[in-house]
Amino acid sequence: MMDDGELRYLAGIVLAFPWSPGELVVEIGSYSGMTAAFVAETLAEAGLDNRVLSIDPFERVPHTRKNPQGKYKGYLRTMQERGLEDRCLPLVAYSQDAAVVVPDRVGLLIVDGNHEYESVAQDLALYASKVLPGGFIFLDDHTETYPGVIKAVADFGDSGSGFELIHQTYFAILRRVG
């Protein structure tokens, strides 16, 4: 779960991107859909009709202390209770398997799935090229508790990725410059 500080930054980057019809928010790791719902509501309040695609294997992945298992029924309940069934779309899959079907029209990529280095680095490698110029990548859990996230962000930034690091605390925000 993201705290109020993260959500404020997330709302800021959602509103900073110049959305066009058909462009997507892609969320890797959804748990029960609270972040997806927040983003969809932020878009709606701004008069935008863009969709949130949530990629999560949900109950297909074992629960661990550092990587909790998503709750598919919880995700569906969140969207139903908030009237967002047509704006937030779950894709029940591992992120590496879903990448081939995600279009290259991503305005915001949220990476909050598996927190191990290999997984975060792979998510960045598979999805960063799908982010539109001026678009953002938001990485949650950029803390010492999750050294894999910190290392993957640092390595990605050092790789000449075409993204600039614009914020780094207990989460990181990257913006595509090219």
Side-chain angles (χ1 to χ4, degrees):
M1 293 292 288
M2 292 191 189
D3 67 21
D4 288 345
E6 286 173 288
L7 293 175
R8 279 194 284 281
Y9 272 87
L10 192 55
I13 61 176
V14 166
L15 298 174
F17 184 72
W19 294 97
S20 293
E23 294 172 346
L24 299 169
V25 173
V26 173
E27 173 191 40
I28 298 173
S30 190
Y31 190 62
S32 65
M34 298 303 289
T35 301
F38 174 82
V39 170
E41 289 169 343
T42 301
L43 287 164
E45 288 174 14
L48 299 165
D49 194 32
N50 301 82
R51 302 294 189 259
V52 178
L53 177 62
S54 299
I55 301 167
D56 196 307
F58 293 103
E59 285 81 6
R60 293 173 57 194
V61 67
H63 174 82
T64 65
R65 188 177 67 78
K66 289 188 177 182
N67 289 301
Q69 181 185 64
K71 306 292 183 198
Y72 184 65
K73 287 182 181 177
Y75 181 95
L76 295 177
R77 186 173 34 259
T78 297
M79 299 316 152
Q80 183 179 33
E81 288 172 355
R82 294 168 90 161
L84 297 169
E85 302 98 316
D86 62 334
R87 297 176 76 76
C88 295
L89 312 169
L91 177 54
V92 181
Y94 291 96
S95 59
Q96 68 269 20
D97 298 330
V100 298
V101 300
V102 174
D104 296 344
R105 297 188 323 257
V106 177
L108 170 60
L109 172 65
I110 301 168
V111 179
D112 191 17
N114 187 313
H115 295 81
E116 300 299 328
Y117 172 81
E118 295 78 15
S119 294
V120 178
Q122 183 178 47
D123 287 342
L124 290 169
L126 291 172
Y127 288 89
S129 64
K130 297 174 182 292
V131 176
L132 296 163
F136 297 93
I137 301 175
F138 185 100
L139 295 108
D140 193 25
D141 299 314
H142 188 268
T143 68
E144 290 181 14
T145 303
Y146 302 99
V149 176
I150 293 172
K151 181 171 174 26
V153 170
D155 288 354
F156 183 72
D158 292 343
S159 71
S161 63
F163 284 81
E164 65 178 331
L165 181 66
I166 62 170
H167 181 83
Q168 178 176 283
T169 55
Y170 55 100
F171 55 94
I173 301 172
L174 304 160
R175 184 166 191 225
R176 186 161 190 184
V177 292

